[in-house]
Amino acid sequence: MRGFLIALTFFTRLPLPSPKVEVTSEEFALSYRYYPLVGLVIGLILWLLAKGLSPFFPPLALGALLLVVELMLTGGLHLDGFMDSMDGLLSARSPERILEIMKDSRVGAHASMALAGLLLLKFSLLASLTPSQFAILLIMPMLSRWVFQIGIVAFPYARTQGLGKGIHDTTHWIPFLIAGAAVLGVSYLLAGFAGLITWGVCVIAVTLWASRISSLLGGLTGDLYGAIIELSEVVCLLAAFPLLR
């Protein structure tokens, strides 16, 4: 339970009581096992919001509300990593320079363009959901917070230190695979065949993208982990939407 609360505190901005005992770096690193469960909590909030407001608001307004609420729930944590990653990757510089750009906290033109494209695509997909398709709101954040761990367990870390370094060093295949099987089962229960296909598409997409970036940079970083979470949410919506119609 403590590990789950640590993960929930880190990944969300929900008003939770502070831990009575200071969180150690080891406890924080091991809390990765609860990340999909944190995603399910986020998804449940989005699902309840969609169910409750869909009779009163038009699809465009509801899509905007869902997007804004998700940003509020996460505090834009993963978007920050996405923007830093896009600033570096789209710069077409050397691997060393890309890593330097990603570490720079300033927002560049590449990050701004990528952010606009990501949010526009995500908003349009959310606004296009019908009540019969709302189950994907439960799957999307849960699946993305598991599938990004492919980048952790299967690829090296590109830096000698960083926030993601501890997670990378403590994440192991067996807990990852067990969590993946649980996510697959929940996805099937919620969306049937569409849930299975979405799970598979996200796994393939993340593996290919992480492999390409790792071969370029010699590994992944914490910013790239956040970017994978954001991108996999959009991939999840894109893969599931035609099957849920």
Side-chain angles (χ1 to χ4, degrees):
M1 176 60 73
R2 178 173 167 83
F4 171 62
L5 291 176
I6 292 172
L8 199 61
T9 301
F10 175 71
F11 266 118
T12 73
R13 294 297 181 267
L14 293 173
L16 300 170
S18 301
K20 296 181 179 179
V21 180
E22 186 176 351
V23 178
T24 64
S25 57
E26 182 179 2
E27 282 182 316
F28 171 75
L30 289 174
S31 68
Y32 76 88
R33 301 175 182 180
Y34 299 96
Y35 290 174
L37 187 57
V38 171
L40 189 59
V41 171
I42 295 173
L44 180 60
I45 294 173
L46 296 177
W47 181 82
L48 289 172
L49 184 70
K51 282 289 188 181
L53 297 182
S54 59
F56 307 104
F57 289 92
L60 289 177
L62 182 60
L65 285 170
L66 291 173
L67 183 59
V68 170
V69 169
E70 186 186 18
L71 290 175
M72 292 174 62
L73 287 172
T74 63
L77 175 65
H78 314 305
L79 276 179
D80 180 66
F82 171 79
M83 294 171 70
D84 287 340
S85 298
M86 293 304 105
D87 254 345
L89 294 173
L90 297 178
S91 67
R93 303 294 182 86
S94 66
E96 294 76 15
R97 181 59 180 148
I98 290 174
L99 289 171
E100 290 178 7
I101 294 173
M102 288 169 58
K103 198 171 183 179
D104 192 334
S105 60
R106 291 173 294 182
V107 176
H110 292 113
S112 300
M113 291 186 295
L115 177 65
L118 179 80
L119 293 182
L120 181 61
L121 181 56
K122 193 172 187 179
F123 161 72
S124 64
L125 290 167
L126 290 174
S128 300
L129 293 176
T130 62
S132 64
Q133 299 170 323
F134 284 165
I136 197 62
L137 296 173
L138 292 160
I139 297 172
M140 175 187 71
M142 174 187 64
L143 178 55
S144 66
R145 283 156 183 79
W146 170 76
V147 77
F148 93 97
Q149 295 179 39
I150 291 175
I152 301 177
V153 298
F155 300 95
Y157 199 75
R159 304 186 191 275
T160 57
Q161 58 184 1
L163 183 62
K165 176 66 173 175
I167 300 175
H168 176 270
D169 291 342
T170 55
T171 303
H172 303 292
W173 277 102
I174 292 179
F176 164 74
L177 292 174
I178 292 174
V183 170
L184 178 62
V186 173
S187 298
Y188 177 73
L189 288 175
L190 292 173
F193 180 71
L196 299 181
I197 296 299
T198 301
W199 186 94
V201 170
C202 286
V203 168
I204 294 171
V206 168
T207 301
L208 292 176
W209 194 73
S211 177
R212 174 69 182 89
I213 301 304
S214 182
S215 65
L216 173 66
L217 303 180
L220 303 180
T221 68
D223 285 329
L224 287 166
Y225 295 160
I228 292 174
I229 290 177
E230 288 294 338
L231 289 170
S232 60
E233 286 197 344
V234 173
V235 170
C236 177
L237 290 171
L238 285 170
F241 192 84
L243 300 172
L244 291 172
R245 292 182 63 85

